[in-house]
Amino acid sequence: DERNLKVAIKNIARTCGDEISDAQPILDARLEDGSRVAAMFPPCSVNGPTLTIRKFTHRYSLEELVEVGTLTPHLAAQLQAAVNDRKNILISGGTGTGKTTLLNALAATIPDGDRIVLIEETSEIMIDKPNLVRFEARRAQTPMGQEAPLPAVAIADLLRATLRHRPDRILVGEVRGPEAFDLLQALNTGHLGSLSTIHANSAEQALARLAHC
């Protein structure tokens, strides 16, 4: 029932080191197995508490994406060449179209010798590389007791800090705000071969959205 669901959501939030309440009614976090959990409380969620868990069960390689018909062999070869040539790649599409799946597949082809810095709003990209540094944004958190509130750490903040960690490649899970400027600044200072995703319905719209973030 609604009461038990609300208690369950609060317990999940605490397990993730976060909080959801009337004062902070939105939860966006990561479970221990890498699954994404999103929840919302009334009045923002009109019909009662809402809980959504997205599980990531399989990482597709470029070869597998060709096998299932997502990519043509020619396009897969072009993308592989772009990664090898340190081209910057921006993957665009709507929700659930496979942007993160493609980003995962391309990131797996980055040479093991490259130092990769991966920046995400909530960690969900699964990369197995020997020289990988993961950074995750943090939203502002209201205190649960007497402790001081924690300020937000945005993707833009992490991007600026990333340049001090000597990355060969910068991967941003999704560009959707002021971090677009910081990412372009990083690319203009020699950090080529970066990968990111953006919500847009075409390549033209992706560039337009990047310019207006």
Side-chain angles (χ1 to χ4, degrees):
D1 59 23
E2 184 171 321
R3 177 180 171 277
N4 287 334
L5 178 58
K6 200 168 184 177
V7 171
I9 292 172
K10 286 187 174 184
N11 289 337
I12 290 172
R14 291 192 190 98
T15 300
C16 297
D18 210 327
E19 183 188 16
I20 183 168
S21 63
D22 292 338
Q24 188 170 290
I26 300 174
L27 174 69
D28 185 8
R30 170 175 44 88
L31 299 176
E32 286 186 5
D33 67 351
S35 301
R36 287 283 298 273
V37 58
M40 192 173 296
F41 275 0
C44 297
S45 181
V46 177
N47 294 323
T50 301
L51 174 66
T52 303
I53 297 176
R54 292 172 57 200
K55 297 184 70 68
F56 302 96
T57 56
H58 183 70
R59 279 182 290 173
Y60 286 89
S61 65
L62 274 181
E63 293 77 13
E64 288 175 318
L65 291 179
V66 170
E67 288 175 9
V68 299
T70 299
L71 299 175
T72 64
H74 177 65
L75 181 54
Q78 280 187 310
L79 291 171
Q80 176 71 78
V83 173
N84 293 340
D85 294 341
R86 303 185 68 83
K87 302 292 186 183
N88 299 315
I89 299 176
L90 182 64
I91 303 168
S92 68
T95 302
T97 54
K99 298 186 299 298
T100 302
T101 297
L102 180 56
L103 180 60
N104 266 321
L106 293 176
T109 69
I110 294 174
D112 287 349
D114 285 2
R115 179 173 173 81
I116 303 169
V117 176
L118 172 60
I119 302 170
E120 297 178 87
E121 188 80 42
T122 301
S123 183
E124 64 176 345
I125 296 173
M126 308 303 293
I127 302 174
D128 184 17
K129 289 292 177 180
N131 200 352
L132 173 67
V133 178
R134 306 185 72 111
F135 293 150
E136 186 177 38
R138 180 186 72 194
R139 66 177 182 174
Q141 295 180 4
T142 55
M144 298 182 188
Q146 299 300 317
E147 66 269 19
L150 294 175
V153 180
I155 289 181
D157 300 322
L158 296 176
L159 257 169
R160 289 190 289 271
T162 291
L163 302 182
R164 302 186 187 94
H165 292 269
R166 300 183 65 248
D168 293 312
R169 311 243 187 182
I170 299 173
L171 275 60
V172 181
E174 182 183 345
V175 176
R176 56 174 132 180
E179 66 273 4
F181 176 78
D182 296 284
L183 178 59
L184 291 174
Q185 288 285 89
L187 301 183
N188 284 329
T189 54
H191 296 86
L192 301 177
S194 298
L195 304 170
S196 186
T197 72
I198 193 167
H199 276 275
N201 293 324
S202 69
E204 281 189 359
Q205 286 184 22
L207 294 176
R209 179 136 194 249
L210 184 66
H212 291 95
C213 277

